[in-house]
């Protein structure tokens, strides 16, 4: 599959590497593609360009930018380049204010998530929340003694969620579908929960798993 990764930060790089590892074609996008020169030199099979280039390239897109700038990045990507495509949304609505006793602050409320805002502004894109509630080291083929961790996903488009589940299978995750875009009200704050042991006790090596009867 041709994958356009919107972002030049660590999450974008880790996910782009995961797609390359699993045989996909990748273009990474940034406002300043030259900042990806080192990454491209280490990953010669990939390509780099602007947000619009990467969005036009991808059959599937990954949104891995600063939460506050997610809508700006999508505007730069161009509505026509994201229309009808699955957009894996790895972003979190982290506010600028510092954490409170290890609990990060969000600029959203429990009644409206960042992904709902993005889906509202870009109704023809098929957003699927994923990868937002785990650290970089465990995004691609995580190995835990307790088995595969669970990736909680949500989104309005069933076909888009199916294709994200297939990718999560490749990336070594089990998938739990938490319904429509409103599910992001619960999935985005999982990032806060994931970070607390890190900020309080410098423990960062964990992932969530849903146990079932
Ligand atoms: N770090 C983690 O372990 C982790 C885990 C799960 C999810 N996340 C989430 O993943 C996302 C990416 O995190 P990150 O740490 O890799 O990167 P980041 O530092 O949060 O974001 C960097 C990206 O944001 C873009 N950006 C910043 N300001 C912008 C603006 N005004 N307009 C357009 N784009 C702008 C940058 O674009 P340019 O390339 O043009 O500079 C760059 O691609 C975040 O939402 C984060 O909460 C992080």
């Amino acid at each position: 599959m041709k994958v356009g990764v919107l972002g030049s930060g660590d999450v974008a790089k880790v996910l782009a590497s995961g797609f390359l590892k699993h045989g996909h074609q990748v273009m990474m996008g940034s406002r300043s593609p030259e900042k990806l020169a080192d990454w491209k030199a280490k990953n010669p099979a990939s390509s780099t360009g602007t947000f619009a280039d990467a969005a036009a390239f991808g059959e599937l897109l990954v949104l891995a930018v600063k939460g506050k700038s997610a809508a700006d990045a999508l505007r730069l990507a161009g509505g026509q380049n994201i229309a009808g495509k699955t957009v894996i949304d790895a972003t979190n609505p982290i506010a600028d204010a510092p954490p409170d006793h290890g609990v990060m602050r969000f600029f959203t409320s429990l009644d409206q998530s960042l992904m709902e805002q993005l889906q509202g502004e870009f109704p023809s894109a098929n957003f699927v929340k994923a990868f937002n509630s785990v650290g970089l080291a465990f995004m691609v083929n995580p190995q835990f003694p307790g088995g595969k961790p669970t990736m909680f996903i949500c989104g309005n488009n069933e076909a888009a969620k199916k294709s994200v589940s297939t990718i999560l299978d490749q990336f070594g995750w089990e998938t739990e579908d938490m319904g429509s875009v409103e599910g992001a009200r619960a999935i985005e704050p999982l990032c806060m929960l994931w970070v607390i042991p890190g900020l309080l006790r410098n423990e960062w090596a964990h992932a969530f798993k849903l146990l079932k009867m």
Side-chain angles (χ1 to χ4, degrees), residues 17-35:
S17 302
F19 280 103
L20 288 171
K21 170 182 166 182
H22 290 292
H24 301 281
Q25 296 176 58
V26 172
M27 180 184 278
M28 291 184 76
S30 166
R31 289 168 300 174
S32 318
E34 64 280 2
K35 69 166 69 156

Side-chain angles (χ1 to χ4, degrees), residues 16 24 89 151 209:
H24 301 281
D89 174 17
M151 187 70 77
K209 186 169 182 69

Side-chain angles (χ1 to χ4, degrees), residues 43-64:
N43 298 275
S46 69
S47 52
T48 58
T50 62
F51 285 133
D53 294 332
F57 172 87
E59 300 159 300
L60 175 126
L61 305 179
V62 178
L63 181 63

Side-chain angles (χ1 to χ4, degrees), residues 7-8 10-11 30-31 35 65-67 69 90-92 131-132 134:
S8 62
D10 290 338
V11 173
S30 166
R31 289 168 300 174
K35 69 166 69 156
V65 297
K66 197 172 151 86
S69 306
T91 65
N92 284 309
F131 292 110
N132 70 300
V134 67

